[in-house]
Amino acid sequence: MKKMRMLSFLVVVTLMFACNDEKKEVRGTTVMTEAEEVPVQTEVHDPVKADTIEVGNVTKSKEEWKEILTPEEFHILREAGTEPAFRNAYYDNKKEGVYYCGACGIPLYSSNTKFDSGTGWPSFYAPIDPKLVERKMDNRYGMERVEVVCAQCDSHLGHIFPYEGVPTEERHCLNSLALDFKQMDI
Ligand SMILES: [Zn+2]
């Protein structure tokens, strides 16, 4: 009996050490596996490939928008405000990259279609894809204008005007405060 007990004890001790060793080994392997196999988390979509961008439905209350936007951004995006010409971040931005919705973060425009309109606002002749923005009639201030809003969160971006000399013959006149620019090779 004593022998048996001793044997059991030895088996248990051996197993414990074995387990410890195994754990260490497993841990080591896991780290290696993560480094080798798990891809680095980047964007889930390619911001300039329209078919990889999914347009969802982002709905928030006025209070919720106020929590995540600055008062200036809230005024432009949620109250259809307009920022001053030439005194905004992106009208003269010639860097290559993507312009995201300043409210919900979906990619909307890229530097590929940005052009210098001389108006003092960032101007694009097209979004990355037509599905990303929606057009609405805007009759405010006694003018008939086409408003452009984000298709995912319905936030105001700017207006669309006819414009000769660009492929689509229209200019998306946007507010810099409605956009977040991310510089990247596209
Ligand atoms: Zn949006």
Side-chain angles (χ1 to χ4, degrees):
M1 263 321 260
K2 245 188 183 177
K3 248 187 186 177
M4 277 292 283
R5 255 188 228 151
M6 192 61 188
L7 202 62
S8 308
F9 175 74
L10 278 174
V11 169
V12 170
V13 169
T14 314
L15 274 175
M16 273 171 67
F17 278 107
C19 281
N20 278 349
D21 281 353
E22 209 175 298
K23 262 186 197 162
K24 266 180 211 159
E25 224 170 81
V26 168
R27 235 179 264 150
T29 316
T30 311
V31 170
M32 286 300 287
T33 311
E34 273 174 10
E36 281 169 11
E37 288 174 16
V38 178
V40 178
Q41 273 295 309
T42 51
E43 308 238 20
V44 290
H45 54 253
D46 181 332
V48 287
K49 279 194 184 145
D51 53 358
T52 67
I53 307 169
E54 279 184 36
V55 182
N57 186 18
V58 175
T59 316
K60 290 185 196 295
S61 68
K62 193 175 171 179
E63 286 65 37
E64 286 172 324
W65 284 121
K66 279 189 169 176
E67 272 175 32
I68 60 169
L69 300 172
T70 65
E72 293 80 13
E73 288 167 346
F74 180 85
H75 177 59
I76 303 288
L77 287 155
R78 305 306 306 174
E79 296 180 328
T82 301
E83 68 195 5
F86 300 104
R87 285 189 285 125
N88 57 75
Y90 304 136
Y91 83 92
D92 199 27
N93 183 23
K94 294 181 174 68
K95 288 175 187 150
E96 198 177 336
V98 171
Y99 294 82
Y100 295 79
C101 173
C104 75
I106 194 171
L108 298 175
Y109 293 84
S110 85
S111 53
N112 285 341
T113 60
K114 191 174 189 292
F115 66 98
D116 186 2
S117 64
T119 59
W121 285 284
S123 300
F124 303 79
Y125 63 78
I128 294 167
D129 190 88
K131 72 179 177 186
L132 300 171
V133 297
E134 279 174 15
R135 294 157 193 251
K136 291 181 176 180
M137 278 312 295
D138 177 4
N139 297 313
R140 282 171 304 165
Y141 311 115
M143 293 183 275
E144 270 191 16
R145 295 185 294 173
V146 178
E147 181 188 10
V148 58
V149 302
C150 170
Q152 179 162 269
C153 73
D154 202 38
S155 289
H156 175 83
L157 304 170
H159 290 91
I160 298 175
F161 301 103
Y163 195 90
E164 283 178 24
V166 291
T168 56
E169 298 207 324
E170 62 179 28
R171 178 173 71 90
H172 294 229
C173 180
L174 307 184
N175 291 282
S176 294
L177 278 170
L179 303 166
D180 284 328
F181 176 72
K182 209 167 156 187
Q183 190 174 354
M184 63 181 80
D185 295 333
I186 53 171

